[in-house]
Amino acid sequence: MKSVVRFISSLLSLVLLCTFIVLPVSAEKTDPFRIENGVLIQYTGKEEIVTVPDGVTSIGRNVFMSQHQIKKVILPEGLTTIGEGAFQYCKNLSEINLPNGITKIGKGAFSDCTVLTGIVIPKGITEIEEDTFSYCINLKDVTLPNSVKKIGVSAFKWCESLTQINLPEGLVELGDYSFMGCRKLNNVIMPDSVTVLGMSVFNDCNSLSKITLSKNITRIEGGMFTATAFTSFAVPNYITSIGGSAFAYCSELKSITIPDSVTSMGDYLFQHNSKLETVVIADSVTRIGDEFFSECSSLKTVKLPKKLSYLGKKAFYSCDNLESVIIPEGITSIQESTFSGSSRLKYVSIPDGVTTIESFAFYDCTSLTRLSIPGSVTSIKQYSFTNCSSLVNLEIPNSVFSLGYNFLGDCKNLKNLFVPDSVVSIDESNSFKGLSKLTISGYEHSKIQSFSAAKNIPFRSLGTSPGKIKYNGKDYQGSVMVDTKTYQMQPQNIYDIGVRPAGYGHMRTIKVVSSRDGIATVKKMPSGNYRVTGVKPGTSYIMITVYQDEKEITHASVKVTVEKGVKAQGTATRNTSYFN
């Protein structure tokens, strides 16, 4: 029995002893840095301040990406490479040192580090790679060493707080979009070492108002200065071409000068520059692209280059203050909507050589009062003159064979329209809506006569078509013949000079005046002749001038001598002037 008691007592003592014995637990902490052969390939820590261990020579791709807790990083001496995206999206990273031994920083390494305010690039770096600091919206201070030869695509894109950048001597290339969206950047000095300048480098830098370009570039690429703050700009005379939209949406730009060195310019070049008033374009330019001056609402007049061969679609679309344009002789087509919506445009001179007036070309040009269509035009497309509500008279030349749908719709003040018998195609759905004042003139048995009857539009017959007038083997649209060369008469004598228009001469304005009304006067008679009355001795010239709109197209003169006691006689002639 005693032995049993002793056994139980020993057992209880053993249990009690075990209660106070604590088995040892491993105190070893897991290393957050995974390093292989000097390359940091993973970080699993949660610290706000990260000290990368000595011995690390390279930080691998995306190692610290999106670790929002990190505020400061201390990098070791001996580090040579920072991989692509290494610190990308570290939204709270505000401080990091870059040791001098670093020779490569990968693409997007610090992209979207939105509280980073400053960075010093070490001397061994030769390239700021693509997107390295893009969207670092609080980055204000950047120091670049002279070793940098290239700033890559979008390298500092949307660094909205960057106010200045010192581009180093020796820099060769600025990549596409490299400073796009740097909205506080106001002045850039580009070293002459730069020979490659990408697209849209300073696009949307809407505080940029001064720049010095490298003398070793020849092209301003597309989008280069879109939405910048320049008030004036003189393109340097070493530039030979300018890409599309290079100066579009420059809301403060008032004047720009394009030098003779420039021979090529892209589309949309000055689109939506609402304050642009003065543009000087050298005669070396041969192409004005699509929407070139679109919505330049302050532009009143522009002199187009003499060698111009293309004037683009919507080139002057909605230029609200544009009043007049003289189109150069090399243009062969008025493109779609070229002048559409230019509500103050009063006069356009279209040259011989233009063959087509495209759809909507002058749509909604509500102030257009004078328009001369040359004899080279063969086709006028739909809506080309719709709502030109100030147009009163329009003459279609006898080179035109087709008229598009509603090409004169809502021209509510149009009174006189001449359509020749050369027009054989008229869109039958033409409503001529809103033309209550219109009378159409044309020849018997012509397409326009039957069309007018079908649409119940007043028609004035000009009789049988004369066709084209031939002279020396060449076709002309019209002529004016004067039947007298010289005439002598006594005071108070009268003499009638015959002036005979033919073809389109009937549609032209003929003005007949005396050079000296005190010697001889002249007035038009119901017969169409012009009566000269001698007043007193002397010599006067009766001047006969033919106009199309306000442009003189031909002239002739008759010498009249008034002398007492002379026999009334003259020299008859058939002095005929031909024109197109």
Side-chain angles (χ1 to χ4, degrees), residues 174-355:
L174 286 170
D176 298 345
Y177 316 106
S178 47
F179 291 96
M180 180 178 179
C182 294
R183 293 189 161 185
K184 292 186 179 179
L185 191 64
N186 56 46
N187 187 14
V188 172
I189 298 175
M190 192 181 299
D192 288 338
S193 55
V194 174
T195 58
V196 180
L197 195 58
M199 292 176 56
S200 295
V201 171
F202 300 103
N203 190 313
D204 213 4
C205 293
N206 57 18
S207 295
L208 184 63
S209 59
K210 294 181 181 179
I211 191 166
T212 301
L213 293 173
S214 165
K215 294 178 181 177
N216 288 303
I217 60 171
T218 58
R219 176 174 170 83
I220 295 175
E221 291 288 351
M224 179 65 64
F225 300 114
T226 299
T228 49
F230 293 102
T231 57
S232 64
F233 199 98
V235 176
N237 60 11
Y238 46 83
I239 298 297
T240 60
S241 63
I242 303 173
S245 300
F247 294 93
Y249 290 87
C250 293
S251 60
E252 300 300 317
L253 187 64
K254 293 183 177 180
S255 65
I256 189 162
T257 302
I258 311 294
D260 287 339
S261 58
V262 174
T263 58
S264 172
M265 296 189 290
D267 298 336
Y268 313 102
L269 193 63
F270 300 109
Q271 182 186 34
H272 213 289
N273 288 347
S274 58
K275 293 184 180 179
L276 186 64
E277 297 176 354
T278 305
V279 180
V280 179
I281 304 175
D283 285 335
S284 54
V285 172
T286 59
R287 185 182 189 276
I288 298 293
D290 296 345
E291 299 196 43
F292 199 83
F293 292 107
S294 175
E295 298 180 279
C296 290
S297 55
S298 296
L299 190 66
K300 290 186 177 180
T301 185
V302 62
K303 183 181 178 183
L304 295 175
K306 294 178 181 178
K307 296 180 181 179
L308 201 66
S309 59
Y310 179 81
L311 184 61
K313 298 175 182 178
K314 294 188 175 182
F316 291 96
Y317 174 79
S318 203
C319 290
D320 295 340
N321 279 289
L322 187 68
E323 294 182 355
S324 64
V325 175
I326 297 175
I327 300 173
E329 293 181 357
I331 298 298
T332 59
S333 177
I334 308 300
Q335 298 292 334
E336 181 179 328
S337 299
T338 297
F339 298 98
S340 178
S342 294
S343 58
R344 294 191 183 182
L345 185 65
K346 296 178 180 178
Y347 174 67
V348 177
S349 174
I350 302 175
D352 286 334
V354 170
T355 60

Side-chain angles (χ1 to χ4, degrees), residues 239-486:
I239 298 297
T240 60
S241 63
I242 303 173
S245 300
F247 294 93
Y249 290 87
C250 293
S251 60
E252 300 300 317
L253 187 64
K254 293 183 177 180
S255 65
I256 189 162
T257 302
I258 311 294
D260 287 339
S261 58
V262 174
T263 58
S264 172
M265 296 189 290
D267 298 336
Y268 313 102
L269 193 63
F270 300 109
Q271 182 186 34
H272 213 289
N273 288 347
S274 58
K275 293 184 180 179
L276 186 64
E277 297 176 354
T278 305
V279 180
V280 179
I281 304 175
D283 285 335
S284 54
V285 172
T286 59
R287 185 182 189 276
I288 298 293
D290 296 345
E291 299 196 43
F292 199 83
F293 292 107
S294 175
E295 298 180 279
C296 290
S297 55
S298 296
L299 190 66
K300 290 186 177 180
T301 185
V302 62
K303 183 181 178 183
L304 295 175
K306 294 178 181 178
K307 296 180 181 179
L308 201 66
S309 59
Y310 179 81
L311 184 61
K313 298 175 182 178
K314 294 188 175 182
F316 291 96
Y317 174 79
S318 203
C319 290
D320 295 340
N321 279 289
L322 187 68
E323 294 182 355
S324 64
V325 175
I326 297 175
I327 300 173
E329 293 181 357
I331 298 298
T332 59
S333 177
I334 308 300
Q335 298 292 334
E336 181 179 328
S337 299
T338 297
F339 298 98
S340 178
S342 294
S343 58
R344 294 191 183 182
L345 185 65
K346 296 178 180 178
Y347 174 67
V348 177
S349 174
I350 302 175
D352 286 334
V354 170
T355 60
T356 306
I357 298 176
E358 293 288 353
S359 303
F360 299 93
F362 296 93
Y363 183 93
D364 219 17
C365 292
T366 54
S367 297
L368 189 64
T369 57
R370 292 190 294 125
L371 184 69
S372 176
I373 302 175
S376 54
V377 172
T378 59
S379 178
I380 298 175
K381 300 293 184 66
Q382 62 179 356
Y383 298 104
S384 49
F385 300 104
T386 298
N387 204 31
C388 292
S389 54
S390 296
L391 205 58
V392 176
N393 302 300
L394 185 64
E395 180 181 321
I396 308 297
N398 64 6
S399 54
V400 173
F401 62 84
S402 69
L403 298 174
Y405 172 72
N406 212 32
F407 78 105
L408 286 171
D410 291 311
C411 293
K412 60 184 180 181
N413 286 303
L414 187 65
K415 294 181 179 180
N416 303 301
L417 172 66
F418 171 73
V419 180
D421 57 346
S422 62
V423 173
V424 294
S425 174
I426 304 175
D427 191 316
E428 294 298 333
S429 57
N430 259 305
S431 64
F432 279 69
K433 181 173 73 73
L435 305 181
S436 60
K437 300 178 182 180
L438 178 64
T439 296
I440 296 178
S441 299
Y443 297 112
E444 288 293 324
H445 312 298
S446 62
K447 179 71 175 179
I448 194 63
Q449 184 181 36
S450 59
F451 177 85
S452 300
K455 299 293 182 180
N456 199 28
I457 300 171
F459 181 79
R460 182 167 68 94
S461 174
L462 299 177
T464 303
S465 171
K468 292 186 177 180
I469 299 169
K470 284 189 177 292
Y471 179 70
N472 282 345
K474 185 176 179 181
D475 288 337
Y476 292 91
Q477 292 188 13
S479 67
V480 174
M481 186 272 290
V482 179
D483 67 2
T484 305
K485 185 176 182 180
T486 64

Side-chain angles (χ1 to χ4, degrees), residues 9-20:
S9 177
S10 299
L11 185 60
L12 290 172
S13 298
L14 181 61
V15 170
L16 186 62
L17 179 63
C18 290
T19 302
F20 292 97

